């Protein structure tokens, strides 16, 4: 092979490697999307009084491919169960608590409220919460909601047919789950939902 031919082959080979490296860098930095895997560890609900419920959902979130930033998290049901003045099928979680080992639903109503207020001071906002690539976070969502007041009493809340929905910008993931009644003696406050 002549020297001039070798120079030309080397120049085009270097150009090809440069384009390949540029393509890989662009993919890694701009086109590759992060994904999350979510497992629900625990989902419990407790009837407190006529129409008032406290709930707790613990979940494991694992990011793959790239860092993931959460945009919104909510629980929803196909029927409108959240009240009292504006019926809705979604309840958004503005804050999440890092893994909660304490069983806050075992506390009485006032203690629960005090403890949740304390926890929310140390909690993270859901919006723009970063789950780094390869990182696993255990998060807990807990709050109180009211069902709708009907003419003949309060609307019963279904234990089955729920979904946890997480929007992380590029995708939305939906995980079906059922609530466990932590106060089985209060069965009158719940109903079974059938699709």
């Amino acid at each position: 092979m002549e020297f001039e031919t070798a120079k030309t082959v080397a120049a085009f080979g270097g150009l090809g490697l440069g384009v390949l490296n540029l393509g890989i860098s662009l993919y890694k930095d701009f086109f590759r999307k992060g994904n999350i895997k979510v497992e629900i560890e625990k989902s419990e609900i407790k009837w407190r009084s006529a129409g008032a419920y406290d709930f707790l959902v613990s979940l494991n979130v694992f990011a793959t491919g790239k860092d993931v930033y959460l945009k919104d998290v909510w629980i929803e049901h196909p029927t409108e169960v959240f009240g009292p003045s504006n019926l809705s099928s979604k309840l958004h979680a503005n804050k999440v608590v890092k893994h909660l080992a304490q069983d806050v639903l075992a506390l009485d109503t006032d203690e629960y409220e005090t403890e949740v207020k304390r926890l929310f001071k140390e909690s993270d906002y859901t919006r723009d919460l970063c789950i780094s690539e390869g990182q696993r976070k255990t998060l807990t969502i807990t709050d109180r909601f009211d069902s709708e007041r009907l003419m003949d009493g309060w609307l019963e809340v279904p234990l089955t047919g729920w979904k946890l929905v997480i929007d992380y910008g590029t995708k939305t993931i939906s995980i079906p789950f059922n609530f466990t009644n932590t106060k089985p003696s209060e069965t009158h406050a719940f109903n079974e939902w059938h699709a």
Side-chain angles (χ1 to χ4, degrees):
M1 185 184 304
E2 293 181 25
F3 182 68
E4 286 300 317
T5 306
K7 277 181 20 181
T8 305
V9 169
F12 281 112
L15 178 64
L17 283 175
V19 168
L20 181 64
N21 283 336
L22 177 63
I24 290 171
S25 293
L26 286 173
Y27 171 75
K28 284 173 52 178
D29 295 337
F30 298 105
F31 298 113
R32 180 175 63 166
K33 304 290 184 203
N35 289 308
I36 58 172
K37 295 177 185 173
V38 179
E39 300 168 347
I40 294 181
E41 193 176 276
K42 179 168 51 169
S43 54
E44 298 178 336
I45 192 166
K46 186 172 188 175
W47 178 82
R48 291 295 185 173
S49 63
Y53 298 84
D54 293 337
F55 76 94
L56 181 141
V57 178
S58 288
L59 53 137
N60 297 314
V61 183
F62 182 73
T64 60
K66 196 174 183 181
D67 292 354
V68 172
Y69 293 87
L70 303 184
K71 297 298 174 203
D72 199 1
V73 176
W74 68 87
I75 61 170
E76 68 178 30
H77 196 270
T79 60
E80 294 178 332
V81 295
F82 304 113
S85 58
N86 185 13
L87 275 177
S88 173
S89 61
K90 294 180 182 179
L91 182 65
H92 293 269
N94 295 321
K95 288 191 166 189
V96 291
V97 180
K98 291 185 177 129
H99 180 65
L100 189 58
Q102 176 187 11
D103 184 7
V104 292
L105 294 183
L107 301 172
D108 72 29
T109 305
D110 293 333
E111 289 174 333
Y112 171 84
E113 190 173 323
T114 302
E115 183 61 15
V116 168
K117 284 179 181 177
R118 186 191 69 75
L119 289 169
F120 277 3
K121 288 179 184 174
E122 303 165 6
S123 64
D124 295 318
Y125 283 99
T126 304
R127 179 98 181 152
D128 297 328
L129 177 64
C130 180
I131 313 290
S132 301
E133 179 184 4
Q135 181 185 33
R136 176 182 299 273
K137 281 192 178 185
T138 304
L139 305 172
T140 300
I141 301 166
T142 188
D143 207 349
R144 175 171 292 155
F145 68 87
D146 292 320
S147 66
E148 182 66 11
R149 174 78 168 130
L150 304 174
M151 290 174 55
D152 61 345
W154 291 91
L155 180 67
E156 295 174 336
V157 170
L159 292 172
T160 58
W162 290 89
K163 288 182 186 174
L164 171 74
V165 182
I166 300 176
D167 177 1
Y168 56 102
T170 58
K171 290 185 182 176
T172 300
I173 187 170
S174 177
I175 303 99
F177 72 95
N178 296 323
F179 275 119
T180 302
N181 179 7
T182 63
K183 201 172 176 184
S185 62
E186 301 294 348
T187 57
H188 67 277
F190 300 98
N191 64 32
E192 291 299 320
W193 179 80
H194 302 285

